[in-house]
Amino acid sequence: MKQNRRSRGVILTLKGWDKLQTAKTKAELTDNAHDGFTLEELSSRMGLSLHTVSRIQGRLEPIDKSSLQSAFAAFGLELCKEDYTRPNPPNELEVRRACPQYDWGEAPNVSVFYGRSAELVQLREWILEEQCRLVALLGIGGIGKSALAVKLGLQIQTEFEVVVWRSLQNAPPVEEILTSVLQFLLWTLRKEIAIAQSFDSKVSKLMECLMNHRCLLILDNVETILCSGGQAGQCRPGYEGYSQLLKCLGEAPHRSCVLLTSREKPRAIVPLVGERTGVKCLRLGGLSSSEGQQLFQQKGQFTGTEQQWQMLIEHYGGNPLALKMVASGTQELFNGKIASVLEYVEQRVSIFEDISELLECQINRLSVVEEEVMYWLAIHREPVSLAELTEDTVTSSFKRLIPSAIKSLLQRSLVEKNGEHFFLQPVVMEHITQRFVERVSQERRDSLIQNIQTPTPYPPLPNPCFDKSNSQILHSENSKANPTATVA
């Protein structure tokens, strides 16, 4: 009887679930429910019991069609055929799901989460419908890669027998990660727990688990095992095993999915990404103005016009971590007045050092050529073509390296692209501008000291890389940092 009753119920399809979630999010904004509707509020709005609402949200337990119709009607929606489906009959995998085994380790708390509905839809489609083997979430630091990975994982974890989260924040050796993952997988899947000592044997054992079982493995902060100072995506010396592992995870057919987050695209997966390869990459952009405002409301009360909100959030690229820092600073320094922050923004004055520190961590990873390209992008201040950047560069040996440097910067999520033109986000441009001014000022001070120590009748030669007529930064910014400086 229980199985017959179960077969008469229906559950939401992914399309129906997304449709309902989108309408719910819009209603939360309209009702100023910044923390989202509680289960009790949804129950009251839909006219359904708490248990039924929970089952609708979970998409696992079937319910009667009339309950779904009531849930949709509560948000002005009509339930269509493509919005629901009958669940598959129970099988061995479904029985296993009744007692799931998840190891979320030190994954961040995502109880407060805004936006990313389109990204969640895309990722669920790749992982659940297209059965992708490897998916990479890429983006600049603070953009919310880890939070999105957790949010997604919690939404789809019941589709897997085992879920394992591992952070590479402290750059652990690849064999340490393999051993840790295998210990949990083998214990959960009731396999022989003895783990071979060799690297190749561990990789083979992991692939065996991923091939025979439906597992979700999430590797966070992959950029920590990548080297700095060269082309983006290369593994650090001693970490080459990760390249072999990622290549194997992306090439070999298996039933599982490996989701990784990184500020840079690992070079090992670059040739594997494609429409029909089972390996996908999603580059995260910033939050929208409305989503950014929601994030601010967590910090307190703020005042500002819609235009001011939009200007502020666009300046910081919708970066969630940067916006949290700005929100805290705005409360502490300006009593929540957005207009006061914008006054400093318009003057290109950095007032939130935490954001500069966040960006400096990534800038320090650049090669000399990449750093010069960043300076020229900041000098232009407007989108610029590859040909214009090449023309700017005076050092002949650098000219031929500009295309590869731009490609590398794109992979590092530091440069944006629009058509054939490249540019920096405002907050990145602000940081690079300040860095440039400090560098030029230091070079002038060093030159002055050198001249005092070794007097010469001739003036020092200008730096050909930076002393150009179109160097707006030197004209507008350096005079503030060094009033006595002159520009050719």
Side-chain angles (χ1 to χ4, degrees):
M1 283 298 292
K2 186 175 182 180
Q3 291 186 8
N4 290 336
R5 185 165 59 251
R6 179 184 175 87
S7 66
R8 287 199 297 270
V10 295
I11 61 172
L12 286 175
T13 60
L14 280 174
K15 183 174 182 180
W17 191 90
D18 290 326
K19 185 175 175 181
L20 183 60
Q21 291 303 308
T22 300
K24 182 170 77 72
T25 300
K26 289 181 179 178
E28 289 168 346
L29 287 172
T30 301
D31 294 358
N32 291 320
H34 301 299
D35 294 329
F37 291 135
T38 64
L39 198 60
E40 290 77 9
E41 289 171 334
L42 287 174
S43 174
S44 175
R45 187 178 186 123
M46 296 177 179
L48 301 171
S49 69
L50 293 173
H51 182 59
T52 300
V53 173
S54 179
R55 289 163 69 185
I56 291 174
Q57 294 277 81
R59 288 188 59 243
L60 291 177
E61 301 179 64
I63 59 172
D64 58 279
K65 182 179 173 183
S66 62
S67 294
L68 286 184
Q69 290 173 328
S70 297
F72 271 53
F75 295 99
L77 301 174
E78 181 179 351
L79 186 70
C80 303
K81 284 187 176 181
E82 62 268 22
D83 296 327
Y84 63 92
T85 186
R86 293 190 181 278
N88 295 324
N91 53 33
E92 182 181 351
L93 180 58
E94 190 167 326
V95 171
R96 289 192 68 94
R97 289 174 185 162
C99 300
Q101 298 292 338
Y102 311 135
D103 180 1
W104 283 100
E106 298 179 355
N109 186 340
V110 292
S111 56
V112 178
F113 185 89
Y114 299 110
R116 305 299 189 196
S117 57
E119 290 91 340
L120 285 167
V121 171
Q122 179 66 83
L123 290 168
R124 287 200 300 270
E125 181 180 327
W126 284 344
I127 296 173
L128 300 182
E129 297 182 15
E130 298 184 24
Q131 303 280 301
C132 286
R133 298 186 294 274
L134 192 152
V135 175
L137 281 177
L138 307 173
I140 194 170
I143 203 67
K145 302 178 294 296
S146 300
L148 179 58
V150 176
K151 190 70 174 180
L152 172 71
L154 292 174
Q155 287 184 357
I156 66 175
Q157 64 181 358
T158 51
E159 301 294 326
F160 296 88
E161 296 176 70
V162 188
V163 175
V164 184
W165 166 285
R166 288 294 180 268
S167 173
L168 307 187
Q169 181 66 53
N170 297 318
V174 64
E175 294 202 23
E176 180 182 316
I177 283 293
L178 279 172
T179 300
S180 174
V181 170
L182 280 171
Q183 285 175 338
F184 185 78
L185 285 178
L186 296 175
W187 175 80
T188 303
L189 298 172
R190 306 296 187 268
K191 302 285 185 180
E192 174 59 50
I193 298 182
I195 300 174
Q197 293 299 311
S198 74
F199 171 75
D200 289 339
S201 297
K202 289 178 182 178
V203 172
S204 297
K205 195 65 176 178
L206 175 63
M207 296 309 301
E208 179 186 325
C209 291
L210 301 184
M211 289 175 184
N212 295 327
H213 301 275
R214 182 76 167 140
C215 307
L216 175 63
L217 172 59
I218 305 175
L219 299 177
D220 191 35
N221 300 121
V222 171
E223 72 276 354
T224 62
I225 56 98
L226 305 179
C227 66
S228 59
Q231 284 284 305
Q234 291 180 315
C235 282
R236 292 163 51 180
Y239 288 81
E240 293 84 0
Y242 277 103
S243 290
Q244 183 179 335
L245 174 62
L246 292 176
K247 184 179 179 182
C248 190
L249 292 169
E251 283 184 340
H254 55 80
R255 299 171 53 194
S256 303
C257 180
V258 178
L259 177 66
L260 62 88
T261 75
S262 179
R263 297 180 183 181
E264 302 175 15
K265 182 188 293 184
R267 180 166 292 193
I269 71 171
V270 171
L272 305 179
V273 178
E275 289 295 323
R276 301 179 181 178
T277 61
V279 179
K280 306 288 187 184
C281 287
L282 179 64
R283 190 170 298 280
L284 291 189
L287 298 178
S288 67
S289 178
S290 60
E291 294 163 350
Q293 288 184 53
Q294 280 186 291
L295 188 150
F296 263 69
Q297 301 307 325
Q298 287 293 315
K299 300 291 185 179
Q301 296 298 316
F302 297 85
T303 57
T305 65
E306 281 301 316
Q307 184 179 12
Q308 289 170 339
W309 275 112
Q310 186 169 351
M311 288 176 61
L312 182 67
I313 291 167
E314 286 182 357
H315 177 76
Y316 289 100
N319 186 300
L321 180 56
L323 291 179
K324 289 177 183 177
M325 295 175 181
V326 173
S328 297
T330 304
Q331 281 288 346
E332 294 171 0
L333 299 177
F334 307 113
N335 295 324
K337 295 179 181 178
I338 302 300
S340 299
V341 181
L342 289 176
E343 290 179 7
Y344 285 89
V345 168
E346 290 169 358
Q347 297 173 32
R348 299 174 190 163
V349 176
S350 178
I351 54 176
F352 303 113
E353 292 301 322
D354 290 343
I355 298 173
S356 296
E357 292 173 7
L358 173 67
L359 292 171
E360 191 66 12
C361 289
Q362 287 193 251
I363 303 301
N364 286 335
R365 296 175 62 84
L366 303 183
S367 66
V368 175
V369 183
E370 290 172 335
E371 190 173 342
E372 180 169 338
V373 169
M374 293 288 284
Y375 287 140
W376 279 116
L377 287 171
I379 287 172
H380 279 279
R381 309 200 74 79
E382 299 291 336
V384 59
S385 69
L386 193 60
E388 290 173 301
L389 281 172
T390 304
E391 184 180 349
D392 287 333
T393 305
V394 175
T395 310
S396 58
S397 60
F398 280 8
K399 286 183 179 292
R400 61 185 178 81
L401 299 175
I402 297 299
S404 61
I406 280 288
K407 181 181 177 183
S408 185
L409 287 168
L410 287 169
Q411 291 182 354
R412 294 187 195 275
S413 308
L414 284 171
V415 168
E416 304 292 322
K417 184 175 183 289
N418 183 12
E420 296 181 356
H421 292 78
F422 306 91
F423 61 97
L424 302 177
Q425 289 184 8
V427 68
V428 178
M429 185 185 299
E430 178 184 286
H431 179 74
I432 292 297
T433 297
Q434 184 61 36
R435 204 173 191 269
F436 179 74
V437 171
E438 291 172 358
R439 171 172 173 170
V440 173
S441 298
Q442 183 61 50
E443 288 179 354
R444 291 182 184 277
R445 285 193 294 270
D446 292 345
S447 177
L448 180 60
I449 293 172
Q450 181 65 30
N451 288 336
I452 292 173
Q453 293 175 344
T454 310
T456 175
Y458 302 104
L461 292 173
N463 186 331
C465 292
F466 303 109
D467 202 324
K468 282 215 169 187
S469 60
N470 67 340
S471 299
Q472 300 175 28
I473 296 177
L474 286 173
H475 285 291
S476 62
E477 300 290 345
N478 195 45
S479 59
K480 302 174 186 177
N482 187 359
T484 62
T486 59
V487 182

